[in-house]
Amino acid sequence: MKEFMTKYGMLKGITSIEFYTDGIIKECKLSEYCEINTSYGILVPQYDEEEVRRKYKRSLSFYKNGNLQSISFQGGTNIITSVGKLSAELAVFHENGEIKRIFPLNGKITGYWTEQNEYELSEELEFHFEFGKFKKKIIGINFYESGAVKSLTLWPKDFINVLSHYGMIETRIGFSLYPNGAIKSCEPRRQTLIKTVIGELHAFDFDAIGLNADTNSLNFKENGTIKSLYTSLDKITVKDAFGSSHIYEPGLKPNNFNDKIMDVVPLRVEFYLSKVKINETEYNIESNTFCVDKFVRKLF
């Protein structure tokens, strides 16, 4: 099949195509120039795989209702968003047609093209948010259907300062926001002291991976107070009404790539109206006492 008609126009030079069970196009790969007409303007899907740095799995994908789900652009293409005009090599859309994700670059990391090469090609962008403003290179940005920013992912080597209810937080990987723009979560770059109802905890996750910033280890309620955090550095002792003590401390697990190295397994602490949850166990705050100590691992 060389051509196929969609609600956005005729697709030409189809080299591979997949359909849903009802015959609706699911995705395709192109080898010829063509234009599709969308609410974001005339867009040109990727059709040339000669550029060695570019990923080229598919040119277009669609939802079952026929709406565009994603497009890999032939070249950098400007998309108008709530935070201004952004250049994209890959864009993903919500099912209702609104922009969902934008990736300024869409390169493949190989022995010939490194992450550093891709980073150097990236352009700095300026952003203004409720928690502050910054100018950085980004990997991607995620939007709600309303158009508001949902999350923003930084390059691994970069960090920004996020102003929170608990002070300024040096943030790596990125952050997520509530629809009203309030900070929802971020990934601390270093040990960050957070005053909680059970004591002062050091928010930090040694094991944070950072594929994107949709979810992070330090989470806030919409009013800015703490919702949950990971701590890799604190020991929590809970003494119940019967005088029994329950001790929680970070654990260890073998590194995925080197079994001679042990990685820290942080504690997850969640805060509710009258309860706190440590890992999988809940405690009533009023009927228990809590002691937080900096954890020092014993070596045998």
Side-chain angles (χ1 to χ4, degrees):
M1 181 180 291
K2 287 291 185 180
E3 296 184 347
F4 189 87
M5 178 59 75
T6 72
K7 64 172 65 178
Y8 304 98
M10 181 69 75
L11 304 180
K12 302 177 182 179
I14 297 173
T15 58
S16 66
I17 189 167
E18 290 185 27
F19 296 93
Y20 292 104
T21 53
D22 54 3
I24 301 296
I25 186 172
K26 184 177 182 180
E27 63 179 59
C28 66
K29 192 173 181 180
L30 308 177
S31 63
E32 292 181 20
Y33 175 94
C34 67
E35 299 177 346
I36 61 172
N37 191 1
T38 75
S39 59
Y40 289 90
I42 303 296
L43 305 178
V44 179
Q46 187 177 2
Y47 63 90
D48 183 358
E49 58 180 329
E50 289 185 1
E51 190 179 355
V52 294
R53 63 160 286 271
R54 288 292 304 278
K55 293 178 183 176
Y56 193 24
K57 294 182 178 179
R58 64 183 69 85
S59 302
L60 299 159
S61 68
F62 299 84
Y63 289 103
K64 279 190 174 182
N65 63 5
N67 286 350
L68 186 63
Q69 184 175 38
S70 71
I71 175 171
S72 178
F73 297 106
Q74 177 60 25
T77 300
N78 289 328
I79 300 292
I80 302 298
T81 74
S82 60
V83 290
K85 187 186 297 182
L86 299 176
S87 178
E89 288 187 348
L90 174 66
V92 180
F93 301 86
H94 288 285
E95 197 164 356
N96 68 354
E98 296 299 321
I99 196 71
K100 183 177 183 180
R101 293 184 187 271
I102 282 180
F103 300 91
L105 299 178
N106 189 37
K108 58 183 177 183
I109 305 304
T110 67
Y112 300 98
W113 189 260
T114 66
E115 183 178 287
Q116 182 61 30
N117 293 138
E118 193 81 347
Y119 178 82
E120 290 171 358
L121 192 62
S122 181
E123 295 182 3
E124 280 193 337
L125 301 171
E126 189 168 355
F127 295 97
H128 296 258
F129 293 105
E130 185 177 297
F131 65 78
K133 62 181 181 178
F134 61 89
K135 189 175 183 180
K136 287 290 179 182
K137 298 178 177 185
I138 66 168
I139 289 178
I141 187 167
N142 187 8
F143 298 90
Y144 288 101
E145 289 188 12
S146 66
V149 172
K150 188 174 184 179
S151 69
L152 184 148
T153 305
L154 302 165
W155 284 89
K157 66 191 301 179
D158 287 343
F159 70 95
I160 59 172
N161 290 318
V162 171
L163 181 61
S164 76
H165 185 78
Y166 303 89
M168 199 69 76
I169 299 173
E170 281 192 6
T171 297
R172 57 181 174 148
I173 297 173
F175 59 86
S176 67
L177 303 174
Y178 285 100
N180 66 1
I183 188 73
K184 185 176 183 180
S185 71
C186 65
E187 197 59 56
R189 183 176 179 235
R190 60 182 76 245
Q191 304 175 29
T192 301
L193 193 64
I194 303 291
K195 293 182 179 180
T196 78
V197 291
I198 67 169
E200 294 184 336
L201 294 170
H202 295 84
F204 185 67
D205 182 5
F206 277 112
D207 204 30
I209 299 173
L211 295 178
N212 61 56
D214 292 355
T215 57
N216 300 287
S217 68
L218 179 56
N219 295 271
F220 305 95
K221 298 174 184 177
E222 205 160 350
N223 65 2
T225 58
I226 189 67
K227 181 179 180 180
S228 68
L229 59 80
Y230 282 90
T231 175
S232 303
L233 302 156
D234 297 313
K235 178 176 76 172
I236 303 173
T237 302
V238 184
K239 184 171 287 188
D240 62 28
F242 303 100
S244 298
S245 294
H246 309 272
I247 299 173
Y248 298 88
E249 56 190 38
L252 289 175
K253 66 177 181 180
N255 182 275
N256 290 331
F257 305 102
N258 187 342
D259 57 11
K260 294 181 180 179
I261 297 175
M262 301 298 286
D263 291 334
V264 175
V265 180
L267 295 179
R268 177 174 173 82
V269 187
E270 301 174 64
F271 299 91
Y272 303 96
L273 189 61
S274 60
K275 295 181 179 180
V276 61
K277 185 177 181 181
I278 306 173
N279 288 342
E280 300 302 321
T281 307
E282 284 189 358
Y283 294 96
N284 187 290
I285 294 173
E286 289 189 0
S287 58
N288 295 277
T289 58
F290 302 85
C291 179
V292 179
D293 297 299
K294 190 166 184 180
F295 176 65
V296 178
R297 180 165 299 284
K298 294 180 181 179
L299 299 176
F300 298 95

